[in-house]
Amino acid sequence: MIRPLIAGNWKMNGLEAWLEVIEAIGDGLNKQPDAADCLICPPFTMIAAAAKAADKTRLNIGAQDCHTVANGAHTGDISAEMIADAGGKYVIVGHSERRADHGESDATIAAKVEAAFRAGLTPIICVGETLSERESGETIAVISSQLAGSIPASAFGQHFVVAYEPVWAIGTGKVASVEQVEEVHDKIREILGERFPGQANETPILYGGSMKPSNAPELLAVGNVNGGLIGGASLKADDFLSIYAASVS
Ligand code: PEP
């Protein structure tokens, strides 16, 4: 049985005042069953303070990206070691917005996964097809190729998370159907099983793309869906906690 993970991606949102949201989520978790892991990935500037605010709760804090190396001449970048030092436990890598805005390749993402392992962070590795790739019947080929390129061989024996995030469903209000989610998640589980025998049934596979309290119960009930990666609905404590509640009910 894979323990679900409900993860929030705040993207480029969050100022000091938002620590109240972190506190509200942490407090809310104390009133719900301890049957899933819960995570918020705020912007880098908030990680240390958010980790402190969530300290006595079950809420974990993570980052939305990391550099591939530990330190050095990389102006403006943040390493996995720095995230761990600030109290982060997870790092999202390969989000479609980073693939698109920063031209991140599968090889770069694989190197970031290695960096996460090196620093003791759990990487959440994102894959997902664009609308045109789906419409031209390439979804499974795209996902397979992203998984092959973005997960390094060194992931064998390590704890990592995969997030299926159809690009056309992120921040658009369009949600993949239960059938679409099931097809891709089953395929991801199969691919992981072939590549990492004996370990595939330990890897959480999250769905991400316009998940909200109203659709979370049916999405989280799909086979091989072990939680969610949530953007917009993670910005409000009540919405995020409702999604968490759906994962443990
Ligand atoms: C995301 O950014 O990973 C995401 C799934 O966003 P949203 O929930 O807003 O679609």
Side-chain angles (χ1 to χ4, degrees):
M1 184 61 187
I2 296 177
R3 187 171 160 93
L5 170 63
I6 300 299
N9 172 14
W10 277 11
K11 311 194 186 194
M12 200 169 70
N13 298 291
L15 300 171
E16 197 188 345
W18 291 48
L19 290 173
E20 284 178 15
V21 181
I22 298 286
E23 282 162 13
I25 293 171
D27 289 348
L29 283 178
N30 285 342
K31 297 174 195 128
Q32 298 209 31
D34 180 1
D37 291 325
C38 193
L39 167 72
I40 289 287
C41 297
F44 288 131
T45 48
M46 287 187 71
I47 291 175
K52 214 168 166 193
D55 194 27
K56 301 225 161 21
T57 76
R58 292 197 292 109
L59 178 62
N60 288 300
I61 301 298
Q64 301 167 21
D65 180 46
C66 66
H67 198 275
T68 57
V69 303
N71 55 268
H74 300 285
T75 303
D77 281 314
I78 303 284
S79 71
E81 282 77 1
M82 291 169 175
I83 294 163
D85 188 53
K89 303 276 186 244
Y90 291 76
V91 60
I92 298 170
V93 292
H95 191 281
S96 60
E97 287 156 13
R98 295 224 42 107
R99 290 180 187 259
D101 294 356
H102 299 271
E104 290 192 7
S105 66
D106 287 335
T108 302
I109 293 157
K112 291 184 176 197
V113 173
E114 307 251 23
F117 293 147
R118 188 185 65 223
L121 301 177
T122 299
I124 300 176
I125 306 161
C126 302
V127 295
E129 81 287 1
T130 63
L131 187 56
S132 66
E133 287 165 343
R134 174 159 285 276
E135 286 175 347
S136 54
E138 294 170 70
T139 299
I140 297 299
V142 168
I143 302 297
S144 305
S145 153
Q146 289 178 337
L147 288 173
S150 307
I151 308 181
S154 60
F156 191 66
Q158 298 270 11
H159 183 59
F160 64 95
V161 177
V162 172
Y164 169 53
E165 297 210 305
V167 179
W168 49 270
I170 295 180
T172 58
K174 287 185 194 156
V175 188
S177 69
V178 161
E179 293 73 26
Q180 289 169 327
V181 173
E182 189 164 37
E183 184 199 10
V184 177
H185 279 241
D186 286 355
K187 188 69 192 173
I188 293 174
R189 182 74 65 211
E190 185 188 316
I191 291 169
L192 292 175
E194 285 162 7
R195 182 123 182 254
F196 303 108
Q199 182 180 336
N201 291 332
E202 291 160 22
T203 302
I205 306 175
L206 314 184
Y207 168 76
S210 298
M211 189 184 277
K212 45 187 188 272
S214 58
N215 60 29
E218 75 169 356
L219 288 166
L220 293 170
V222 175
N224 281 321
V225 172
N226 313 113
L229 181 53
I230 298 121
S234 70
L235 300 175
K236 289 195 183 138
D238 287 351
D239 286 356
F240 190 62
L241 287 165
S242 295
I243 295 174
Y244 177 89
S247 79
V248 294
S249 64

